[in-house]
Amino acid sequence: MPVGLSVTSSRREDPPVSPSRRWTAPARLVPGVLALAWLAVLVTHLRTPVPSDQLNYLTAAARFPHPVEGTTEMHQVTRFGVVVPVRLMIAVFGYSQAAYAIVPVLATLSLLLGTYALGTVLFARPVGVAGGLIVVAATPVFTDSTDLLPDVLAAGLFTCALALAASTGPASSGSASTGRGADAPGRARFLAVGALLGWSYLAREFVVFMWPVALVLLYRRARLTGLLWAALPVAVIVLAELALCWRLYGDPFARLQAIMGHGQGPSRPDIATTYRDKPRMMYILRLPVTLRTYPEGGLLVTLLGLTLLGGLLRPRRLAVPVAACALLWVPLTLLGGVLDPSAPKLRLQLIRYWFPVFPAFVLGGLGLLWIAAVLLVDRVPVPRRAPDAPPLVRRAVLRVALPAAVVLTLAAISVGVSARSWWRSPDTRAGGGTQMEALRSWMRDHDGAAPRIWADQRTSKVLMVYRQGAWGGRAWSARVRNARPGGEKPRPGDLLLLFDTEDGRVCPQCRASARAMRGDPAWTGPRWRQVYGTPDRVVRVYRLAP
């Protein structure tokens, strides 16, 4: 039965379906196939680690439970919802590709399965399948799917929590005091919802703006007792965060202060002009305007519009998607420039800030199309082409087949358009972005030939990941040193790595950093002789002759 913020049913709706009946063996097969198929896509499209915020999280995880000294990115190093899981991966796999990629890959799968589950609970299984694929295949989401960032993780955790809350059985009149109805799952589900919500906050703080929609669903189905059980893990998680901030950085509110001050610091003029001192209407329309810059943006904006339209035409059926969108859009828009265009606290043109609402507006738009297709079947006479089947049976089949065909066709179109933008991208494994893996193999084969290998500041961060094998274990022993203009000079026999300095297709940050490094004559000249390079010249290694 489709569910919303109300637990009462109209006479035209089908009787409620038990959650235990929904998750039969065939029902589990669908999300299993989705997860395995998308896992294969993600593994073949793993990206080279990005020497920016992504490796800041890996560095913070490697040092945990010790502080990151002298950091200017307090809001990142205190996001323990990312740091702690990655630290567990480092404990198993070392400072390696696996430690970098496992958490974001699992986060993307949680977003896929959470969207599928939420769409199934609110509307129907085909809506869940279509919505999950549209969300994770969307160009901005897929681009970050294997990067170590908090946004996909927070979106996936919250969506899973919302799906659990929406699927909780309604409380019966005789069980309001206990929070358990005839079909209620008990305390474990409430604790799971609370744990997922708390973890989502630890990953990305402003996802808390969306919590009320999950809490209202829990209250309408489990009353106050259910809310209290859900609040228990949230309280434990918040207390743990305060304790960690106090122990590591001397202030239990270090993260909150960093968040409140984020965006107020100085920015380069070319960055500041993209989000400061703009007309207020520009901040209001940031989401649809930014969406339209992507290949599938027109379709995503259409789904967003259909969600808002559905809130007017079918407010009870689309209450959850509309409320979820509004609860994030309003505070982000206000903080992002509407209140004070001269000092926005967020750069709303960064589409990853909006990831938590992607499942809501995609499912809302698909849900309205599903409802419209069902109404169309109910109003159009069924042709008598199958005399052996009663009219009611033929209509029942059409009420499933036509809406499913509509939403799945739309999903196929959207995924196809999206995939053309990221399929075999040059910075992924499928697109040939394995140059650093080839360097690792060469360094392993020539281990001991050079005591040190130099690289610009950005490249050296990437190189540290490839000092380990893909699944951990030291691959080569040379020390990695930063080549800074005017800094320490190389010695004869040292190696110099140039990474993507010509085109910037794989690591544009490395190209910019290397340009500054090579302004020092110590890193140029005829004494540097090339000893290794990939055929595409993305990786080149030089040795300093005596």
Side-chain angles (χ1 to χ4, degrees):
M1 178 188 73
V3 297
L5 290 177
S6 174
V7 297
T8 59
S9 303
S10 68
R11 293 181 181 178
R12 295 176 59 92
E13 290 176 332
D14 297 330
V17 179
S18 164
S20 61
R21 288 174 54 198
R22 284 194 193 103
W23 293 101
T24 58
R28 293 190 184 96
L29 181 63
V30 175
V33 170
L34 281 176
L36 289 176
W38 205 251
L39 177 62
V41 174
L42 293 175
V43 170
T44 57
H45 285 79
L46 290 175
R47 298 177 67 198
T48 301
V50 181
S52 184
D53 295 353
Q54 293 87 334
L55 286 181
N56 289 344
Y57 289 109
L58 191 65
T59 299
R63 296 181 182 178
F64 187 84
H66 303 289
V68 179
E69 300 291 347
T71 180
T72 59
E73 308 294 343
M74 184 64 70
H75 63 291
Q76 293 178 1
V77 300
T78 53
R79 284 189 179 129
F80 301 114
V82 179
V83 171
V84 173
V86 176
R87 182 65 185 91
L88 296 176
M89 295 301 103
I90 292 176
V92 177
F93 302 108
Y95 197 86
S96 64
Q97 283 179 278
Y100 177 88
I102 287 177
V103 170
V105 166
L106 293 178
T108 303
L109 295 180
S110 74
L111 181 58
L112 169 65
L113 297 179
T115 305
Y116 162 79
L118 184 60
T120 300
V121 171
L122 295 180
F123 301 105
R125 185 165 288 113
V127 174
V129 172
L133 290 175
I134 290 175
V135 168
V136 296
T139 302
V141 175
F142 190 85
T143 300
D144 287 352
S145 289
T146 61
D147 279 349
L148 190 51
L149 291 168
D151 308 276
V152 174
L153 177 60
L157 293 170
F158 172 77
T159 306
C160 290
L162 187 57
L164 276 176
S167 63
T168 301
S172 63
S173 59
S175 60
S177 62
T178 63
R180 295 197 59 172
D183 197 32
R187 299 170 183 172
R189 180 165 298 205
F190 305 141
L191 293 171
V193 171
L196 290 169
L197 290 177
W199 189 0
S200 70
Y201 157 74
L202 288 182
R204 173 61 88 173
E205 47 284 340
F206 53 66
V207 77
V208 299
F209 293 131
M210 303 177 72
W211 283 13
V213 66
L215 299 178
V216 169
L217 285 172
L218 277 183
Y219 178 77
R220 301 300 289 268
R221 287 161 173 77
R223 303 307 184 207
L224 184 59
T225 304
L227 280 182
L228 292 176
W229 279 110
L232 181 60
V234 173
V236 171
I237 286 172
V238 171
L239 290 175
E241 181 201 51
L242 295 176
L244 284 172
C245 286
W246 176 69
R247 180 184 180 276
L248 296 179
Y249 300 103
D251 185 352
F253 302 104
R255 183 187 182 199
L256 294 178
Q257 293 176 1
I259 293 167
M260 296 302 295
H262 187 52
Q264 302 301 302
S267 297
R268 298 201 320 261
D270 58 323
I271 296 179
T273 56
T274 64
Y275 73 102
R276 290 180 180 169
D277 298 312
K278 301 294 182 182
R280 283 183 167 84
M281 186 56 65
M282 179 174 292
Y283 298 112
I284 293 173
L285 298 177
R286 272 296 193 188
L287 177 57
V289 168
T290 306
L291 284 174
R292 290 191 66 85
T293 62
Y294 295 96
E296 68 282 75
L299 190 145
L300 295 177
V301 172
T302 300
L303 291 175
L304 176 60
L306 288 174
T307 299
L308 300 179
L309 178 63
L312 298 175
L313 300 179
R314 290 290 188 272
R316 292 180 61 189
R317 292 293 302 274
L318 274 82
V320 171
V322 172
C325 290
L327 286 170
L328 189 66
W329 179 81
V330 171
L332 255 63
T333 302
L334 292 176
L335 295 173
V338 170
L339 292 179
D340 186 1
S342 65
K345 295 185 180 298
L346 298 169
R347 287 186 286 164
L348 295 184
Q349 74 272 26
L350 298 178
I351 192 64
R352 65 175 183 265
Y353 288 0
W354 298 100
F355 285 173
V357 300
F358 273 49
F361 75 74
V362 168
L363 291 176
L366 293 175
L368 184 62
L369 292 176
W370 178 276
I371 294 170
V374 170
L375 292 176
L376 179 63
V377 171
D378 290 343
R379 284 165 171 74
V380 175
V382 179
R384 298 181 177 274
R385 294 182 179 178
D388 295 336
L392 290 179
V393 173
R394 296 199 300 273
R395 187 176 297 277
V397 172
L398 282 176
R399 289 180 90 245
V400 175
L402 180 61
V406 170
V407 298
L408 292 176
T409 299
L410 188 63
I413 294 172
S414 178
V415 172
V417 173
S418 301
R420 281 198 294 270
S421 69
W422 48 255
W423 190 261
R424 296 178 65 86
S425 176
D427 58 347
T428 65
R429 291 179 58 84
T434 58
Q435 298 89 351
M436 292 298 284
E437 296 178 19
L439 171 65
R440 178 174 56 206
S441 298
W442 184 83
M443 291 290 292
R444 180 190 295 117
D445 294 340
H446 296 79
D447 194 23
R452 301 187 297 182
I453 179 169
W454 297 80
D456 63 84
Q457 187 174 3
R458 298 279 187 168
T459 300
S460 63
K461 292 182 177 181
V462 180
L463 186 58
M464 289 298 294
V465 177
Y466 291 89
R467 197 182 184 191
Q468 308 285 324
W471 296 96
R474 183 62 60 89
W476 43 271
S477 58
R479 288 176 293 166
V480 177
R481 306 300 296 267
N482 286 334
R484 296 186 177 91
E488 184 182 358
K489 303 302 181 184
R491 304 168 186 168
D494 285 355
L495 300 177
L496 173 64
L497 169 64
L498 299 182
F499 179 45
D500 202 20
T501 58
E502 296 185 351
D503 298 326
R505 295 178 297 113
V506 179
C507 183
Q509 300 93 336
C510 299
R511 183 189 186 194
S513 181
R515 187 180 299 119
M517 174 199 73
R518 303 199 75 189
D520 187 333
W523 307 106
T524 58
R527 293 179 60 198
W528 288 103
R529 299 173 184 174
Q530 184 170 343
V531 293
Y532 173 74
T534 54
D536 55 9
R537 293 180 58 81
V538 171
V539 163
R540 287 173 291 155
V541 179
Y542 295 82
R543 188 187 304 277
L544 183 62

